């Protein structure tokens, strides 16, 4: 770690004493310092990233992944507790009196096959919900983990810059919208200090080196959709003797979109997507039932309630039209929208803007969902932001009608590791320093 000592020492004093003449963090110089340190840390982070990418683990099975992170954090001097919320871990580093700042990464990958063709692509499989499936880090949680370890290293190298406690948590099962809850129920904020401020980042299909953020709503509310249409099976040649659940499921998938186009206010955000239909075995057998599985996204509770009512009515109407029994309907609530805290964003914004310039931008709320909202609901003022993953040339080509950019959850999602992780480490380190600085000044 090469650090401009006199500069850092004087800034550390200012953080402590809040000296008005030098009260602001020198973000541009700090960014440079972080990037120099990152350069020497990177070979290890690259190896860690590629190892985690090649050997992903699915929700609540992330034992080896968690063990790798635990080893990294112990080597840095963090006190690590494993198996918090099944496979989660909590790493604490105390550096004098001061606030507790939390940084969260996810641990889990997705049940799908990777098709990137990368040298370090995953070929691993796991048993998930009773079936064997490929597993892939196609949401980029491996980028988050490498950035998380890199941020911890950088903050320790800069420990004369801040005083207080770092609380680095690695959370299982984000994709299941269950891991944050599991950690909280396992005493995350009672067995360990409750953080004064929290941060998390997510990667996305835009240019690496860029950071996007928002004040207020940072992600959507998610509700699961699980509808079982109950029919009466029989021979495909004699449909008059059956009640065809495949017909009901098909009609529902089409008709439910009219809830979006005709019932929901068109100026409000709301999405229904059906991701899976399970029914039947052979072409000449009309099955007994059909299961439709989907996801419902919204920002506002009143929009969500309207959508849920419309979905339920459509499912019941489809069954009534077929003279079938009422369907089984589950529209369970998953994550709520992440609300970014204006004061936390306010202080991080100044530092990140000074460091990243026009590569740091406010954007409209993201339509993805995040169970990070559980920590916000538990009372941790937070900032959730996004980092880009693709080369600028590739992004420009996509904008000009070239091949589209594979997004998160695509089998082709392939972040460019080094610049992406560098942005993650730099932005997260600066955000954490801004929070220590803000609290030291009593804001
Ligand atoms: Zn995801
Ligand atoms: Zn994700």
């Amino acid at each position: 770690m090469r650090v401009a000592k006199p500069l850092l020492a004087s800034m550390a004093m200012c953080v402590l004493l809040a000296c008005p003449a030098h009260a602001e963090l020198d973000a541009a110089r700090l960014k440079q310092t972080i990037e120099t340190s990152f350069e020497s840390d990177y070979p290890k982070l690259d190896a860690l990233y590629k190892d985690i990418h090649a050997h992903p683990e699915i929700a609540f099975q992330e034992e080896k992944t968690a063990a790798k992170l635990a080893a990294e954090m112990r080597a840095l001097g963090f006190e690590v507790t494993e198996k918090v919320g099944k496979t989660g871990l909590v790493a604490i580093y105390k550096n004098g009196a001061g606030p507790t700042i939390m940084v969260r990464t996810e641990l889990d990958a997705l049940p799908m096959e990777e098709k990137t063709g990368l040298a370090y692509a995953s070929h691993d499989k796991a048993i998930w919900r009773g079936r064997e499936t490929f597993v892939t880090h196609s949401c980029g949680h491996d980028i988050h983990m490498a950035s998380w370890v890199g941020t911890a290293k950088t903050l320790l190298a800069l420990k004369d810059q801040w005083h207080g406690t770092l609380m680095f948590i690695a959370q299982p099962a984000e994709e299941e919208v269950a891991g944050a809850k599991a950690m909280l129920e396992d005493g995350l904020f009672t067995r360990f200090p409750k953080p004064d401020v929290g941060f998390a980042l997510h990667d996305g299909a835009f240019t690496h080196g860029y950071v996007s953020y928002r004040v207020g709503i940072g992600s959507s509310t998610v509700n699961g959709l699980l509808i079982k249409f109950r029919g009466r099976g029989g021979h495909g040649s004699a449909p008059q003797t059956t009640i065809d659940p495949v017909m009901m499921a098909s009609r529902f998938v089409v008709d439910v979109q009219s809830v979006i186009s005709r019932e929901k206010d068109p100026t409000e955000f709301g999405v229904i997507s059906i991701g899976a239909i399970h029914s039947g075995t052979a072409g000449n057998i009309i099955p007994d039932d059909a299961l439709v599985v989907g996801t419902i996204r919204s920002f506002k509770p009143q929009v969500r309630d309207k959508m849920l009512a419309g979905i339920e009515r459509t499912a019941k109407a489809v069954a009534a039209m077929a003279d079938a029994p009422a369907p089984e309907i589950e529209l369970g609530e998953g994550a709520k929208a992440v609300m970014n805290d204006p004061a936390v964003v306010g202080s991080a914004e100044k530092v990140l803007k000074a460091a990243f310039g026009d590569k740091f931008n406010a954007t409209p709320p993201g339509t993805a969902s995040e169970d990070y909202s559980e920590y916000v609901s538990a009372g941790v003022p937070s900032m959730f932001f996004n980092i880009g993953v693709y080369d600028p040339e590739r992004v420009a080509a996509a904008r000009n009608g070239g091949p589209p950019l594979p997004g998160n959850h695509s089998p082709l999602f392939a972040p460019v590791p080094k610049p992406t992780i560098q942005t993650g480490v730099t932005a997260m380190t600066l955000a954490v320093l801004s929070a220590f600085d803000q609290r030291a000044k009593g804001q």
Side-chain angles (χ1 to χ4, degrees), residues 59-99:
F60 288 127
Q61 299 180 17
E62 315 95 330
E63 286 172 10
K64 289 181 190 144
T65 310
K68 286 170 196 169
L69 296 192
E72 293 283 339
M73 299 305 266
R74 283 200 181 104
L76 289 175
F78 278 76
E79 193 181 310
V80 178
T81 309
E82 291 176 79
K83 305 204 184 314
V84 181
K86 291 191 185 168
T87 45
L89 63 89
V90 178
I92 303 276
Y93 189 93
K94 290 186 178 143
N95 183 26

Side-chain angles (χ1 to χ4, degrees), residues 58-405:
I58 214 144
F60 288 127
Q61 299 180 17
E62 315 95 330
E63 286 172 10
K64 289 181 190 144
T65 310
K68 286 170 196 169
L69 296 192
E72 293 283 339
M73 299 305 266
R74 283 200 181 104
L76 289 175
F78 278 76
E79 193 181 310
V80 178
T81 309
E82 291 176 79
K83 305 204 184 314
V84 181
K86 291 191 185 168
T87 45
L89 63 89
V90 178
I92 303 276
Y93 189 93
K94 290 186 178 143
N95 183 26
T100 299
I101 311 294
M102 180 176 85
V103 179
R104 177 274 228 165
T105 182
E106 317 88 321
L107 291 162
D108 58 326
L110 285 159
M112 60 187 286
E113 186 174 1
E114 176 164 1
K115 295 181 181 165
T116 60
L118 290 166
Y120 50 92
S122 162
H123 304 288
D124 287 7
K125 289 181 177 177
I127 303 294
W128 187 65
R129 295 187 178 167
R131 274 196 275 183
E132 191 180 56
T133 171
F134 281 102
V135 188
T136 303
H137 266 302
S138 48
C139 203
H141 296 177
D142 46 358
I143 289 280
H144 308 170
M145 287 183 253
S147 303
W148 184 85
V149 170
T151 301
K153 278 188 183 175
T154 312
L155 282 166
L156 258 57
L158 291 171
K159 71 180 176 191
D160 53 355
Q161 287 281 290
W162 55 272
H163 290 90
T165 300
L166 293 176
M167 181 174 176
F168 273 55
I169 67 164
Q171 177 207 304
E174 191 284 322
E175 296 290 355
E176 294 277 280
V177 197
K181 253 186 207 143
M183 287 191 85
L184 287 166
E185 282 167 8
D186 201 7
L188 179 62
F189 295 158
T190 50
R191 289 163 59 195
F192 307 96
K194 183 170 174 186
D196 297 285
V197 175
F199 292 100
L201 58 78
H202 208 296
D203 52 16
F206 56 103
T207 314
H208 54 61
Y210 279 72
V211 179
S212 70
Y213 75 107
R214 48 208 75 85
V215 186
I217 296 170
S219 70
S220 70
T221 295
V222 60
N223 286 79
L225 178 156
L226 208 88
I227 298 178
K228 191 186 216 179
F229 289 102
R230 297 183 294 173
R232 187 171 61 233
H235 202 289
S237 67
Q240 77 282 6
T241 66
T242 72
I243 297 175
D244 186 349
V246 174
M247 187 82 180
M248 284 190 270
S250 308
R251 178 169 278 150
F252 172 78
V253 169
V254 175
D255 281 359
V256 78
Q257 294 302 335
S258 66
V259 174
I260 298 296
S261 66
R262 304 289 83 185
E263 294 188 35
K264 180 187 66 62
D265 179 343
T267 63
E268 299 286 1
F269 167 71
V271 163
I272 304 166
S273 289
I274 305 302
I277 303 177
H278 301 294
S279 187
T281 52
N284 61 352
I285 306 168
I286 292 173
D288 274 333
D289 48 47
L291 184 69
V292 176
V293 186
T295 189
I296 306 157
R297 307 297 171 104
S298 56
F299 290 145
K300 296 184 182 165
Q302 59 272 34
V303 176
R304 178 201 55 205
D305 291 349
K306 181 139 200 165
M307 285 164 61
L308 296 186
I311 291 163
E312 195 168 334
R313 204 170 353 90
T314 306
K316 285 180 178 164
V318 161
M321 278 172 76
D323 201 18
E328 291 168 29
I329 304 173
E330 277 180 45
L331 304 174
E333 185 164 336
K336 297 184 195 74
V338 172
M339 298 298 287
N340 279 335
D341 181 79
V344 174
V345 174
S347 59
E349 196 170 41
K350 274 185 227 151
V351 177
L352 291 169
K353 191 80 205 167
F356 285 90
D358 60 5
K359 292 184 172 174
F360 177 69
N361 294 297
T363 54
T367 62
S369 297
E370 249 301 332
D371 71 352
Y372 187 87
S373 56
E374 295 292 332
Y375 309 117
V376 178
S377 299
V380 181
S382 291
M383 178 177 181
F384 189 94
F385 59 89
N386 296 84
I387 57 171
V389 302
Y390 286 128
D391 286 329
E393 301 75 31
R394 193 170 174 193
V395 176
R399 268 197 205 121
N400 296 322
L405 296 170

